Amino acid sequence: MEQTMDPEGEVFNECAMLTRIRDGMKRLCCAKHDFTDDDVIPLGIELGVNRSLMRLNLEDNDIGEKGFLSLIKGLLTNNTLRHLNLSNNKKITSEVVKPVLKEFLASTSLQECCLEGTNVSDDIRNEINKMLQLNTFPKQLKRCILELESDVGSAVESISLTYDYVDPEICTMASVERLASAVTGNGSRESCIQSFSAIRLFKGINMSSVISALCTPSLTSVTFIDNGLEEIDIRETFAPLIESAASLTSVDLTNNLFSDSGAEHLVAALEESSTVTQLDVTGCSVSPSWNCRLRAALSLNCQPVVFKQALPKIISNDPALTSLNFQGKEGGGREPGRGYFNNMAAVIVSEALQRNSNVKLLDFSNNHIG
């Protein structure tokens, strides 16, 4: 029998012995051997129990429906095979493949199935590639994307992802773009994502596409702990999110790499936001002075919105501003930023009024000022 060499350089000259894949074998090349369904069916059975094979090349044979279905059945219980080459097997058609598309999705390891030169349509091959791409992502990210892309059930409202030390797959730009697309699609349903958490999962990856997709009126909480975020990430991605997300109240950026320059962008963003009242930069290289400025910016957002709107006019000594009505309102709730003013507001107003000559009336009644 003619020897065949696989892409990795291993030679196999016993390709007809398909009833048994040798224990520990990682690559098997059986291209151009005129194998029929009867030859390949035993290999599908063997795939179901094999725990070592990673690459299988069966291109340029005479495999049809029965052989193809046997291979797919074997893949359902196989967790090692990553690359399957079935190119130029003309009897494999769209009609054969389409009914078992979901079986590809059930595979936990297969990342590539080459069907060029078969009679499978481009649309079906593209759909298979999209399915198998998920197996190149960390498993929890795969589950998250599948849930987001599913047409069954209600929209996803919360996402929580954490780095798994035993998962061999890592996040790439392809996985981030797929996640962004899935988040956007989920947002077109009845409700959108309210909270997003990622811990140690996206180090060194630009997350701007995902953050842009997350920026919807429903988003209230974002957590990006230990993801290697630098000043450019804060400036171009997270500061704009803080400025524009209408319902965002909590941002956790613990244990990232940005320093005071990143904190400066966060302060500027907080000055534009009226909703973010919690921001954690613990473990980042932010100096005490910039931590104080962050706390001051956050404290303003803990007052009723009218306070932040009036403060620039007080400071600029606006002649049109002659009275300040800062009465507390029970109907607005009893939490900061909703119905009442606290000591911080009183201190800030007192300091601002020392340089203001136009305000003649100040009403701070019914508040929580000590």
Side-chain angles (χ1 to χ4, degrees):
M1 179 178 291
E2 178 185 356
Q3 289 187 341
T4 303
M5 180 173 291
D6 79 350
E8 301 296 331
E10 285 198 25
V11 177
F12 301 93
N13 55 14
E14 297 177 340
C15 294
M17 305 297 292
L18 292 180
T19 56
R20 180 65 178 164
I21 302 174
R22 294 199 302 269
D23 291 338
M25 179 182 290
K26 295 185 179 299
R27 296 178 295 274
L28 177 60
C29 182
C30 300
K32 300 179 181 179
H33 277 73
D34 296 324
F35 288 152
T36 65
D37 289 343
D38 290 339
D39 297 311
V40 174
I41 286 174
L43 181 58
I45 296 172
E46 184 65 22
L47 270 180
V49 296
N50 181 268
R51 295 295 179 264
S52 64
L53 196 66
M54 299 178 67
R55 303 178 68 98
L56 176 58
N57 186 350
L58 291 168
E59 65 177 318
D60 286 311
N61 282 294
D62 196 31
I63 302 170
E65 179 177 6
K66 292 182 179 179
F68 176 80
L69 294 179
S70 177
L71 292 171
I72 297 304
K73 184 177 180 180
L75 285 173
L76 293 179
T77 53
N78 179 284
N79 59 10
T80 60
L81 192 70
R82 294 194 171 202
H83 303 277
L84 175 61
N85 189 349
L86 294 171
S87 299
N88 299 320
N89 283 278
K90 304 297 184 182
K91 292 182 180 179
I92 300 178
T93 64
S94 297
E95 290 71 24
V96 170
V97 175
K98 191 172 183 179
V100 293
L101 280 178
K102 290 185 178 180
E103 309 297 344
F104 282 101
L105 197 57
S107 169
T108 60
S109 63
L110 191 65
Q111 298 180 358
E112 181 183 16
C113 181
C114 188
L115 292 167
E116 281 74 10
T118 65
N119 283 301
V120 179
S121 69
D122 290 344
D123 288 344
I124 291 179
R125 286 194 282 120
N126 290 337
E127 189 171 352
I128 290 172
N129 290 336
K130 185 178 180 181
M131 292 177 180
L132 298 183
Q133 183 193 46
L134 291 171
N135 286 337
T136 68
F137 304 162
K139 290 181 175 59
Q140 59 176 312
L141 185 57
K142 173 184 175 179
R143 290 192 295 268
C144 172
I145 291 173
L146 284 174
E147 188 177 4
L148 288 166
E149 293 179 343
S150 173
D151 294 328
V152 180
S154 58
V156 177
E157 297 182 351
S158 178
I159 295 176
S160 181
L161 301 167
T162 304
Y163 178 71
D164 184 350
Y165 289 96
V166 300
D167 192 336
E169 305 300 338
I170 61 174
C171 286
T172 62
M173 276 306 303
S175 63
V176 168
E177 295 300 327
R178 182 74 175 268
L179 176 61
S181 176
V183 169
T184 301
N186 182 76
S188 66
R189 297 158 75 176
E190 293 182 359
S191 60
C192 301
I193 293 169
Q194 298 175 12
S195 65
F196 184 93
S197 174
I199 301 176
R200 295 188 299 278
L201 195 64
F202 297 108
K203 287 191 174 184
I205 300 179
N206 187 331
M207 293 296 295
S208 58
S209 60
V210 172
I211 296 301
S212 296
L214 286 170
C215 190
T216 64
S218 64
L219 184 68
T220 62
S221 173
V222 169
T223 298
F224 269 78
I225 296 176
D226 195 11
N227 279 290
L229 300 178
E230 300 180 353
E231 188 267 343
I232 188 173
D233 300 302
I234 302 302
R235 182 182 73 243
E236 297 184 358
T237 303
F238 288 88
L241 173 70
I242 291 172
E243 290 183 21
S244 56
S247 302
L248 185 64
T249 60
S250 175
V251 179
D252 190 342
L253 301 176
T254 302
N255 291 338
N256 281 291
L257 301 179
F258 64 89
S259 56
D260 287 352
S261 57
E264 183 176 3
H265 293 294
L266 291 174
V267 168
L270 288 170
E271 290 173 350
E272 297 298 323
S273 167
S274 60
T275 60
V276 177
T277 58
Q278 300 177 49
L279 174 63
D280 195 342
V281 296
T282 304
C284 303
S285 300
V286 178
S287 66
S289 60
W290 276 104
N291 266 305
C292 287
R293 294 187 64 174
L294 285 170
R295 286 195 295 270
L298 286 169
S299 67
L300 288 179
N301 286 345
C302 291
Q303 313 301 324
V305 175
V306 64
F307 179 78
K308 194 167 185 177
Q309 295 171 341
L311 188 59
K313 296 180 180 180
I314 301 173
I315 294 173
S316 65
N317 201 18
D318 187 340
L321 185 67
T322 59
S323 64
L324 296 172
N325 182 0
F326 289 157
Q327 290 185 8
K329 297 179 181 179
E330 288 293 335
R334 304 303 290 174
E335 288 85 31
R338 297 182 64 185
Y340 72 93
F341 298 88
N342 58 22
N343 290 336
M344 177 64 72
V347 171
I348 293 174
V349 169
S350 297
E351 293 178 352
L353 287 176
Q354 291 178 15
R355 297 178 293 276
N356 185 290
S357 59
N358 293 306
V359 175
K360 308 301 181 183
L361 178 65
L362 172 62
D363 187 349
F364 252 130
S365 60
N366 194 32
N367 281 292
H368 284 193
I369 298 174

